[in-house]
Amino acid sequence: MSERLLVIGGDAAGMSAASRAKRRKPSLDVVAFERGEHTSFAACGIPYVLGGDVDSIEDLVARTPAEHAEHGIDVKMATEATEIDINGARVKVRELETGAERWEGYDQLMIGTGATPVRPPIDGIDAPHVYGVQHLDAVPPLLAEAERAEGCRVALIGAGYIGVELAEAFANRGAKVTMLEAGDQAILRLPADLAEDLRAGIEGIGVELRTGAGVNTIETDRVTTDDGEYPADLVVLGLGVAPNTDLAVRAGLETGPKDGIVTDDRQQTSAEAIFAAGDCCVARHRISGELAYVPLGTTANRQGRVAGTNLGGGDARFPGILGTAVLKLCGVEIGMTGLNLDEAIDAGFDAVATTITSSTTAGYYPTAEQVRVNMVAERGTGRLLGCFIVGGAGSAKRIDTAATALWNEMTAEQLADVDLSYAPPFSPVFDPITIAARVLGEKL
């Protein structure tokens, strides 16, 4: 009999692993279980569907179950895994339409259960006008609300990555948007001076940002916070996600920060023959050296490919994360990688940071916009530890230069000497990244 691989979860990590394993070992019998209605979808595109930039949620689907079947992967839709029996090498699944349950045996198991939106125990959070955003199945009713949102009072709870993107989406629809953030700024990992630039961008599109506004209750027409009451016809949660690991925890698999599944660098869990990847997992941070929960689609795909290679008989290793991310709010772009100053100090580094202000293009070029770069390094060695960018169009993807430098453990002095490209429509003579590295080097 052929070796059997079961996959729990039909999105990025699970199906990347399934596809890679099947390509490497065509004889594998690969069966995947997905409790939702879609496979291999781009959840990061959901705000752009809600805002009208992308026409349909179907545009976010990279590969359907039928397309997976063409590649030899049997995907069981609307089927939920409810229990893992490690000793018996089997998984209990339930068909959601009929309620029928059965056990499925495996030789190898891949867990790609992803994450779920954080829903704190707020009074009224389960009301029908309160929505979370993570899975495509939740989008249609919220999209219907977004399409008639002009003049609607929308309260966004949380001003993190997803909250910022949702603010743009509903502002584009003509809604009256209030962002309610319990912390003292939007995107808490940003250095405070760059967070002020982001606040200006948020308020510049007509969105009200209220910080220090932890939500206490949600009512039919208002949200009550520590900072007062705010009218709301629609409430959308942008509080981030938590790893969906109840199944793994009950099976006795080792977990780490925020109950994310712990794996080795081959993506194998604490149980033999069971692998995991994606938003349900923690990963080793290359700067701090510690396990961290940083759910990103790029990481899910990378980890999935590593797991799939090993499930298919190869030997691949996952080298860790920097937490590199980019996002935008209309004309304001944000990029980040590595550790901010406080995180670096907490990780034990004697760290120093600097912020520089420059322009996205040559200053005389008509499209020039401001860009600010905050860079962090270790005193003494000069090793780069982190970089954060907020600026106009063309700013955010500069973070990839910094990420490459961090990945290779370069110093500020080395980055300042890198031969980067120049032309007036793209950059000033000295790119903001190298300017920041040079200024930071002088402080070291």
Side-chain angles (χ1 to χ4, degrees):
M1 294 179 63
S2 61
E3 187 177 6
R4 195 170 200 231
L5 168 63
L6 297 187
V7 179
I8 304 175
D11 196 15
M15 300 316 292
S16 291
S19 298
R20 179 61 66 93
K22 185 68 176 179
R23 283 196 299 272
R24 287 193 58 88
K25 187 183 288 188
S27 63
L28 269 180
D29 176 20
V30 183
V31 182
F33 302 103
E34 169 54 50
R35 65 183 180 183
E37 301 174 5
H38 301 86
T39 58
S40 302
F41 60 88
C44 54
I46 290 174
Y48 305 103
V49 173
L50 296 174
D53 298 304
V54 177
D55 292 334
S56 166
I57 61 172
E58 302 304 326
D59 294 333
L60 304 183
V61 178
R63 184 173 287 183
T64 66
E67 289 171 324
H68 283 298
E70 292 174 0
H71 292 84
I73 300 171
D74 182 12
V75 184
K76 308 292 188 183
M77 300 300 295
T79 305
E80 180 180 26
T82 60
E83 186 178 345
I84 299 172
D85 175 10
I86 294 177
N87 292 331
R90 59 182 186 164
V91 175
K92 181 184 282 190
V93 299
R94 180 173 63 240
E95 296 179 4
L96 298 182
E97 292 182 1
T98 66
E101 293 185 323
R102 65 182 183 276
W103 286 98
E104 298 271 2
Y106 65 82
D107 296 293
Q108 297 185 104
L109 177 64
M110 171 66 203
I111 301 175
T113 46
T116 55
V118 172
R119 297 181 73 93
I122 297 171
D123 211 14
I125 199 166
D126 294 322
H129 69 303
V130 180
Y131 293 86
V133 180
Q134 173 66 17
H135 200 282
L136 287 196
D137 298 349
V139 173
L142 182 55
L143 178 58
E145 296 279 5
E147 289 173 340
R148 56 174 179 263
E150 186 170 0
C152 179
R153 301 171 301 178
V154 177
L156 296 178
I157 302 179
Y161 298 177
I162 188 66
V164 166
E165 292 175 334
L166 290 171
E168 177 179 350
F170 282 97
N172 286 346
R173 295 286 192 178
K176 299 176 181 177
V177 182
T178 302
M179 300 181 74
L180 303 172
E181 169 57 49
D184 56 7
Q185 65 180 51
I187 304 187
L188 296 177
R189 295 195 63 239
L190 280 179
D193 48 358
L194 271 62
E196 284 303 309
D197 294 344
L198 177 56
R199 174 184 280 274
I202 291 170
E203 295 174 346
I205 63 170
V207 172
E208 181 182 9
L209 172 60
R210 304 298 301 187
T211 53
V215 174
N216 298 317
T217 61
I218 300 172
E219 301 177 36
T220 55
D221 62 348
R222 75 193 70 189
V223 174
T224 302
T225 77
D226 299 335
D227 188 45
E229 291 185 349
Y230 297 91
D233 307 306
L234 176 68
V235 178
V236 185
L237 305 179
L239 292 165
V241 298
N244 183 16
T245 53
D246 178 64
L247 193 65
V249 169
R250 286 191 284 110
L253 297 181
E254 181 184 355
T255 58
K258 298 190 177 180
D259 276 340
I261 300 170
V262 173
T263 69
D264 62 15
D265 61 0
R266 301 180 74 248
Q267 296 304 130
Q268 183 168 304
T269 70
S270 56
E272 187 177 357
I274 300 180
F275 288 69
D279 290 357
C280 59
C281 294
V282 294
R284 187 75 58 184
H285 199 288
R286 286 177 66 92
I287 305 299
S288 70
E290 301 295 325
L291 291 176
Y293 182 64
V294 185
L296 292 169
T298 48
T299 301
N301 279 292
R302 290 168 56 219
Q303 289 182 332
R305 289 194 296 271
V306 168
T309 297
N310 295 318
L311 288 162
D315 184 22
R317 307 284 167 160
F318 184 72
I321 62 170
L322 292 174
T324 308
V326 292
L327 65 152
K328 76 177 187 71
L329 176 87
C330 295
V332 179
E333 298 184 358
I334 304 103
M336 58 192 75
T337 189
L339 306 178
N340 64 30
L341 181 59
D342 289 340
E343 291 168 340
I345 292 171
D346 289 344
F349 291 100
D350 180 10
V352 62
T354 194
T355 298
I356 64 98
T357 302
S358 184
S359 57
T360 55
T361 69
Y364 57 79
Y365 198 77
T367 61
E369 297 186 57
Q370 178 178 289
V371 56
R372 296 228 281 170
V373 178
N374 176 279
M375 195 169 284
V376 186
E378 183 179 32
R379 200 189 309 270
T381 68
R383 178 189 174 187
L384 291 167
L385 304 175
C387 185
F388 299 81
I389 299 173
V390 175
S395 298
K397 286 295 284 180
R398 283 177 161 88
I399 204 66
D400 289 342
T401 301
T404 302
L406 265 65
W407 191 266
N408 291 287
E409 300 186 7
M410 292 174 66
T411 66
E413 182 179 3
Q414 289 170 332
L415 179 55
D417 288 338
V418 169
D419 185 14
L420 300 182
S421 61
Y422 163 71
F426 300 104
S427 176
V429 175
F430 295 105
D431 190 89
I433 288 289
T434 58
I435 297 173
R438 183 172 294 109
V439 171
L440 183 58
E442 293 170 355
K443 295 179 67 173
L444 294 168

